[in-house]
Structure formats: structure tokens, C-alpha cells
Amino acid sequence: MSGPDSRGRADAAAGDASLRLAQRRRRMRRLALQALFVAAVLALLAVFAHNVSVNLQMRQIRSGFGFLADRAGFDIGESLLPYDAASTYAQALLIGILNTVRVALLALVAATVLGVMIGLARLSRHPLVRALALGWVELARNIPLLLQLLALYMVVTQFLPDATEAWSLGSVALLSKQGLMLGAPTALGTALLAGLAAGAALAVGGVRLVRRREGGLFAAATAGLAGLAAGLALGWIGAGLVGGWSRPALEGFSVVGGAALTPEFLTLWIGLSFFASGAIAEIVRAGAQAVPQGQWQAARALGLQEREIVQRIVFPQALRLAIPPLASQYMNLVKNSSLAVVIGYPDVVSITNTAINQNGQALECVAIVMAVYLLLNLLTAWLMNAVNARVTRAPR
Amino acid sequence: MIQRFVAAAVSLLAFAGVAQAGKTLDGVRSRGVVACGVNTSAPGFSSADSQGRWTGLDIDLCRAVAAAVLRDPEKIKVVPLNSQQRFAALQSGEVDLLARNTTWNLTRDASLGAVFAGINYYDGQGFMVPAKLKVDSARKLNNVALCVQAGTSSEKNVADYFATHGMKYKPVVFDTAEAVQAAFVSGRCQALTTDISDLAGARAKLPNPDDYQVLPDVISKEPLGPAVRRGDDEWFMIVRWSLFALQEAEELDITQASVASLKTASKNPAVLRFLGVSEDVGKLLGLDREWAARIVAAVGHYGESFERHLGARTPLGLPRGPNKPWTQGGLMYAPPVR
């Protein structure tokens, strides 16, 4: 029964087999090459690590991460967690990381709100608004951030009065060279934590509610921010009512009590927000302008108001284009926060600088800082990718 | 600063087996200069004048070493370093000698790959405040906003001091001495803390020094001295004995003006030995017999150097205090040069 058919099939089978073999061989070769490359990189790293440890030992320089458990012995100007000189290096670094996260997060929110507003203002029909927005953008993004921070810090510290002559703002806050001292709940940490938790819950609830009513992205974002603010206010007031208030007051030549927003923090927060808002405004504007004119015309033909067009038609489409460049702006912002060192804000770089000089372990400390920024930015990228995936999956 | 860390890291990464031991002297001789790590700007210790010439007590020590080793006090390469760069620069071999008003303590001596060669200034930490604050003692500085430089021993001393006395303070920390002083002058901090010699220098630089006062309290001991890389005993000996030669010359009353004539005129065996006339102790250090004479001819003895840069006739106006020779009740005491 061996006809030409079956032979053909056998040939085909043989051909398939040889093809599969060739494919497998190619795959194996590629795998082997990749494995070789990885091995070479690992070997290089191992040589580096070995050389470092040999060199350090030869020069009798202490190495390793054991120092993290040692007593730090220096104080830190502002910290979200309890800290004093008896704490460890690990705790000091944690305070620094939290300070970096705090200023970066707040600047991120402020820069986004400002950036969206300025970006949309750039498209306004009023020439004055357009000109002002253009001026803002050019000022924000054409002067190096370092200079902006130094200038702003100088203005803040020269312009504000001494603590003894602090300006009183409605008896709940004092503004001086020591910073903005606010009346605050005595249990400040609890207030912030509770406020954040309540704020997150309210924000999620607000966004859900708006989405269920088919509200636009704009309305959802507003609801989210409003929820967060309301939650923080609730936590603040609640903790104050339960645990009592601490009011800033002049004691000797210093203002004591309350919660302090130091000049260093304010400068960095304002500076980072302003600088990033310029770039974000341009991203928003570019995104909005990339939405085809036909969309505007169609929306107008449907009789939609100008505001509705922006909020319901243009902005959601612009967002889709804006998110990838926005993500890289956010990452820039996180990295730029390391300029804190020049104005004395105790961020993770500043505290690491101190640590390096107290214990001399520059390699380990710099490695830790690099890892911290890498992780922070990977986290930012991951979050932005998640947002991006959601936005692009939305029905067109 | 990051560049320097990277440079140090790269040198550590790439060149295993660059042996340092015994090599510094060879390197200095083949390069023809002594690379000196100094403070970026510490009046009296190391600062550049309007012609760009570096002067100060630490600079004089560098010149002394250059005079001893290279027979020319001008053959120094000044490398200004801030406080965080200093040990990295020494470790990486960027400088041969760290003369940067640096406090000698156990951690630095034992774990940074450096070793201190002696003490060229006995200092202590203090506070400067605006006169209008009307504070007469550091004990009245409770709740003060305090400007301090990052990564100094001052940062730790002040933490200990305020904890010991149950007082609170808010540190405001900057990278450079200039930024610390600017913040203090702007009024961001009500007090500035560092070594008293530094405070005197900072005060002298201010437009109106009389508006500021240095408090009498001394909260720590700060022996400042030169450091060299570990594991190079030959170089260590040269730096250490160059410093001792400055101090010994003052004890023997050999001055910059008299050193040449004393070679023939002196009857004192110790002087003749020191100047290499009667004995050659220089060869034990790997140097020639004139090494100490050249040091004194270049910068004078320790007392002359002190008076020139820090003493009563300078803007700093610092008293000799513990930096007098032991024969006058001070702490400066060099082992015999013999």
C-alpha cells in the first residue's frame, strides 16, 4: 500500500521533523548565546566585587552592611517617625527615604494639578490667559532647577521675619524663617495616618460613584482629590478633638509646638512642583492638540458646551497620549528631589552624605541610595503602566 | 562629590593589586609635587588669597613636606576638598596627604584606610550666635535652630551635648561650609556650630563681625592633624617628622630668619644636629641631612606659622592657648629629633 501519497506524507513528516530539529537547534544556539552573555556579565560583576573586597581589605577599610545596625549618633531636622541620635543608621536612612517620598509625592500631586491647568490655559480663547500660561511654562522649564531652588531658598530665608517677629496668620499659624508652624493635633502621626486612610477610602468611593454615574475622567479625578482632601481634614480634626491641639508659640527666641513646614521643605516642594508643572503643561497641551479637529467639530455639532468638550471628549483622548511622557516626567521629579542637598532638606541623599562621612563606607551607602531611587522609579513606572493599560483598554 | 566617589569606586573596582605600600614617596618624587588635600576655604588653615596663592597653617604643613622631600616648598598641588570628599580622596590616591583641619578620632584612624600622623592644632567645638540674641552661654540655646555642616564630628558632638543637657534643637544641615554660613547669616538658624578656629575664621569673613559673638563654651576636644594612607610607613614617617620638625624648631628657637646663620653660629648640639651640621638624621627618613633646615627656611617654626595665619595680628586673632609649646605650658610636644 505504499503509494506516492504515503511516501509524500512520509517525506513531509521527515521535512517537518528536520524543520523542527533546525528550529530547536536555532533555539538552543540562541539560548546558549544568551546564557554565555549572562555568564560573562556575572563573571565581570564577580571580578569587580572580588577586587573591591580585596582592595578594601588591603587598605584596611571597613566594608559590608553591618554598619546599618550601628548607632547613628547624629540628629535629623525633620522626620515623620520618631528618631534621635541613639537610633541606628538603618533608621536614619529610613527617615531620609520617607522625607524623599513625602516631598516627591506632594510635588507630584501639585505639579499635576498645576500642569493640567496651565496646559489647558495654553489652549484658552483668551489671549491674556494664553500669554500668562506661556510665560509660566517658559519660566518653569528654561531655568535649571538648581538655580530655581537656590533663588527661592534665598528669597524665603531673607524675606521672612525672624522667629521673634513671626507673622501670625489667624492665630493658628506662625510664619517666620523657621518655616510655617501650624496649629496641629498633638498626636500628629496618628492624625496623618488616619487622615491618609480615610482619604484613600473616600477618594476610591468618590471615583467609583462618579464612574457609576457615567461621569467623565475629569470629574472622577476631581472627586478623587476632593475625597483625599476631605479624609485628611477629617483625620486632622478628629485627632485634634480626641488628643488635643498643639499651638505654635514663641518660647525664648524660637517658635515651639505645632507642626512645622520648614523653609527647606517648602522651597523644595514649591520648586519641584513649579519646575515639573512646566513640562507637564506642555505634555497636556500637546496631547490635547493631537486630538483631531474633527472631534471638536463633531462635539460642537452635537451642541456640547466648550467645557464639556474639553472634559468629556478631548481630555480623555489627550490623556491616552499624555500618560507615557507623563510617566517619565514623574520619574524625573522623583530623581530631581535629590537636589534637596543644596538647600539642606534632609532627604535620603543628604542623610546618606552624612552617614558616609561618619562611617566612611561610601560604596555601600551610594549603592543603597541608587537602589532606593531605582525602586521608587520602578514603582512609579509600574503604577503609570497600570494606569496606561486601563486608559488604552477603554472602549474607543 | 559624587564624581569623587565614583572615581574612588572605579579605582577600587578596576585596579586590584595597585599596591600602595611604600609607593607614595616614589610617586611624589616622580610627579615632582606633593598632592595636598585641604579645606576649600578655612581662613587661617587653607584659603586662597586674591592672587590665588594658598596660605594657612595646613598649607604650611604641605609646604614643609614638599621642602623636606622635593627641596622646594612651592612644589605642592593643592586639592580643595569638602568634608565628605576628604577621606575618599585620600583612599583613592588623589592626594598624598590630607591636611584639612580634620579631627583625629578612633573611627577615622582605624576604619577609613587612613592613619593620622600627628596634631597641628588643638581645637574644640563651640557656637557662634548673633549678638542681638543676648545669649551668653550654650546652655541657653534650648530649641535653637542650629546650622551645622554635613558629615563633621560637630554633627555628632552637638547631638551628644544637647542630649546630655536635656535640651532640644533643630539641625539644619548643609553640604559646604559656605552654605552653612550663608544660612546662618540669613537668619535661618540662630546659631552656628563648628570648631572654634573655624568660627573665628567665619566671623572674620562676615561683613560686620561685631554683630556676632562666639560663646565661651567648648563642648568637645578636636585635635586637628594631617592624615596619610595606611600601609605606607615610609611616607607616614616623613609627614609625622616634618610636623615634629616644625614644633622642635620652635622649642630650639630656630626661626626662618636665623636658620641660615645658626648653622655656623650655634654652639647648641641639639640645634646643630637638627640642622644636619653635626649628624645626618635625615637619611633615616630616606631624606638628606638638610631636610629640617629647609623646612624652617621655607615656613618658619610652628609658632611663626601660627602667628602668621591665626595669631593676634591676623583677622582671626586666636590666642595660642593649648597650642603653645610644652615648655610654655602648652600641649605642643615633639619627641627629640635625634
Side-chain angles (χ1 to χ4, degrees), chain A residues 47-49 51-52 54-56 58-62 71-78 85 89 153 157-158 162-164 177-179 251 253-256 262-264 341-345 349-350 353-363 366, chain B residues 1-2 5 9 11-20 83-84 86-87 91-92 107-108 110-114 132-133 135 140-145 150-153 155-156 158-160 169-175 179 183 186-188 190 230:
Chain A
V47 168
F48 280 175
N51 279 6
V52 167
V54 166
N55 268 323
L56 288 176
M58 196 171 69
R59 296 176 192 190
Q60 301 181 29
I61 300 171
R62 191 184 159 189
R71 182 181 185 275
F74 55 86
D75 281 305
I76 298 175
E78 44 194 306
Y89 276 109
Y153 188 62
T157 48
Q158 298 280 350
D162 283 341
T164 45
K177 280 177 181 166
Q178 286 195 327
E251 198 180 298
F253 44 74
S254 290
V255 177
V256 208
T262 63
E264 292 77 33
V341 281
V342 298
I343 52 163
Y345 177 71
V349 175
S350 162
N353 277 351
T354 295
I356 285 175
N357 216 15
Q358 301 298 358
N359 61 31
Q361 295 188 257
L363 281 176
V366 171
Chain B
M1 152 196 54
I2 292 295
F5 288 146
S11 79
L12 286 172
L13 284 172
F15 308 112
V18 172
Q20 296 291 342
S83 49
Q84 294 137 345
R86 51 188 165 184
F87 286 105
Q91 289 162 3
S92 68
T107 306
R108 289 172 174 178
S111 73
L112 296 188
K132 67 172 183 206
L133 222 56
V135 170
K140 295 180 181 163
L141 289 177
N142 196 16
N143 291 322
V144 75
T152 52
S153 48
E155 226 179 336
K156 283 189 154 179
V158 88
D160 290 351
Y169 71 108
K170 284 278 174 200
V172 186
V173 180
F174 296 90
D175 248 10
S186 81
R188 170 63 184 99
Q190 292 118 356
R230 259 176 181 251

Side-chain angles (χ1 to χ4, degrees), chain A residues 19-73:
Chain A
L19 194 67
R20 240 177 287 134
L21 203 65
Q23 269 175 347
R24 191 184 305 158
R25 214 177 280 149
R26 207 176 313 145
R27 215 169 30 233
M28 290 303 284
R29 201 162 49 224
R30 263 190 231 137
L31 256 174
L33 274 175
Q34 279 167 10
L36 207 67
F37 181 72
V38 170
V41 169
L42 285 180
L44 199 66
L45 286 179
V47 168
F48 280 175
H50 175 74
N51 279 6
V52 167
S53 91
V54 166
N55 268 323
L56 288 176
Q57 252 168 32
M58 196 171 69
R59 296 176 192 190
Q60 301 181 29
I61 300 171
R62 191 184 159 189
S63 62
F65 289 91
F67 74 91
L68 285 173
D70 293 351
R71 182 181 185 275

